Amino acid sequence: MGFSEDNLTGVILALLSSGFIGASFIIKKKGLRRAAAASGVRAGVGGYTYLLEPLWWIGMIIMIVGEAANFIAYAFAPAVLVTPLGALSIIVSAVLAHFILKERLHKLGVLGCVMCIAGSVIIVVHAPRELPITSVQEIWSMATQPAFLLYMGSVIVLVFILVIHFAPRCGHSNVLVFTGICSLMGSLSVMSVKALGTSLKLTFEGKNQLIFPETWLFMLVVVTCVIIQMNYLNKALDTFNTAIVSPIYYVMFTTLTILASVIMFKDWNGQSGATIISEICGFVVVLSGTILLQVAKDFERSSSFRANHTPGSPSLSTRLCTGNGELAKYNDEEVPPEEICLRIQESY
């Protein structure tokens, strides 16, 4: 299928969005650090003093601009094209973290950035065209089909379990809890954003969709999902290293969003098997790049730990368990990493 003008518009908007969002991660984290230093209460443990920090609000405004561009992009191009391009935000975040937050980017991280770009190009080249939609009621019928209802029900149950059971017990020691909540809700918010964006696009074209209750229901879902996402994303950023949160969040969010879009909008209908395989390969390359960025950061931290303190360095699983500041509490005791992890888990 040829690359349409709508797809091109969606790609440009998605790239701009990723640039803004990637920068906002760093600015917001600087704001979170300032707020925590001023008040002594971190967002990761329930503090909300960052709402009084101007730098955090600057980051939030930049993120809103990026999200607005992303919102419009979904009205022009399918989610299987727009969402993977969010890999650029990982690149921007990693590079800015290197210079601003002093979270060093290893040479392997540079390779990861290149892989993200290469995978994104593959996805863009083989992306499907946006399927024509004539009304919000048509989207509503897609959202209420049994397959998507099953997906949506599963997401709600999983989020409920994570929030009620896992977040209080290990949310501050396991990065997958907070990012999992963000990613699951994010997949639903993207579907609603696409539905709402398409409705507004049709309205601007002269086909008023604001008279239908489905449009306002999609707007309510967007607001609800975004609020939940922002709350737990702030907790994740404040508790764990940015270079860990960003790629993990991207991988989970993108995978779930593409799955939801394929179920709801049937993006792959009409595409050949070879084209779909090419898209999947591009997606795998992007995921590999984000994982390599994470591994590179972990390698750099491990090397620094060995050089500056003890012969042994904590494993990736231990570092995911300990977050940002917990490891320092036990540095002078020369406690094995696994014992550190166990102690911190018991403290929660």
Side-chain angles (χ1 to χ4, degrees), residues 51-95:
L51 294 175
L52 302 176
E53 172 57 51
L55 191 60
W56 184 87
W57 280 107
I58 292 174
M60 177 58 70
I61 292 171
I62 293 175
M63 175 171 278
I64 290 173
V65 172
E67 293 292 353
N70 204 44
F71 176 90
I72 301 172
Y74 280 113
F76 287 92
V80 295
L81 170 59
V82 175
T83 305
L85 293 181
L88 180 60
S89 68
I90 303 299
I91 298 173
V92 173
S93 178
V95 172

Side-chain angles (χ1 to χ4, degrees), residues 220-241:
L220 177 62
V221 174
V222 169
V223 172
T224 302
C225 291
V226 168
I227 290 175
I228 295 174
Q229 279 182 267
M230 289 300 100
N231 182 42
Y232 284 95
L233 182 57
N234 283 328
K235 290 180 181 292
L237 285 173
D238 187 59
T239 306
F240 301 97
N241 193 294

Side-chain angles (χ1 to χ4, degrees), residues 176-255:
L176 298 179
V177 176
F178 291 154
T179 54
I181 296 170
C182 293
S183 302
L184 288 164
M185 295 304 297
S187 67
L188 295 183
S189 68
V190 167
M191 297 303 100
S192 300
V193 161
K194 183 168 179 60
L196 182 60
T198 303
S199 299
L200 294 178
K201 178 185 175 185
L202 291 171
T203 298
F204 289 135
E205 291 174 351
K207 303 174 183 177
N208 188 10
Q209 303 298 305
L210 300 180
I211 61 175
F212 299 109
E214 290 87 351
T215 300
W216 300 100
L217 181 58
F218 282 127
M219 182 178 296
L220 177 62
V221 174
V222 169
V223 172
T224 302
C225 291
V226 168
I227 290 175
I228 295 174
Q229 279 182 267
M230 289 300 100
N231 182 42
Y232 284 95
L233 182 57
N234 283 328
K235 290 180 181 292
L237 285 173
D238 187 59
T239 306
F240 301 97
N241 193 294
T242 305
I244 292 177
V245 174
S246 296
I248 291 178
Y249 175 58
Y250 171 76
V251 169
M252 296 175 67
F253 168 73
T254 305
T255 302

Side-chain angles (χ1 to χ4, degrees), residues 75 82 94 96 99 104 113 127 143 153 164 174 189 198 242 253 264 282 285 320 327-328:
V82 175
L96 292 181
F99 291 104
R104 296 186 59 186
C113 292
I164 300 300
N174 191 322
S189 68
T198 303
T242 305
F253 168 73
M264 179 173 171
V285 172
L320 290 179
L327 184 62

Side-chain angles (χ1 to χ4, degrees), residues 119-132:
S120 297
V121 170
I122 295 174
I123 292 172
V124 168
V125 170
H126 296 91
R129 292 194 181 198
E130 176 76 337
L131 297 177

Side-chain angles (χ1 to χ4, degrees), residues 47 84 93 109 127 178 222 232 258 269 275 277 303:
S93 178
F178 291 154
V222 169
Y232 284 95
I258 289 178
N269 282 12
T275 301
I277 291 174
S303 299

Side-chain angles (χ1 to χ4, degrees), residues 247-306:
I248 291 178
Y249 175 58
Y250 171 76
V251 169
M252 296 175 67
F253 168 73
T254 305
T255 302
L256 291 168
T257 299
I258 289 178
L259 175 61
S261 184
V262 169
I263 295 174
M264 179 173 171
F265 291 98
K266 297 180 170 55
D267 294 319
W268 286 343
N269 282 12
Q271 285 197 295
S272 66
T275 301
I276 294 175
I277 291 174
S278 297
E279 290 176 41
I280 294 175
C281 289
F283 180 52
V284 170
V285 172
V286 172
L287 293 186
S288 300
T290 59
I291 293 173
L292 189 58
L293 276 167
Q294 153 62 34
V295 171
K297 187 64 181 181
D298 184 65
F299 174 81
E300 185 63 39
R301 292 182 65 189
S302 298
S303 299
S304 175
F305 187 85
R306 285 194 300 268

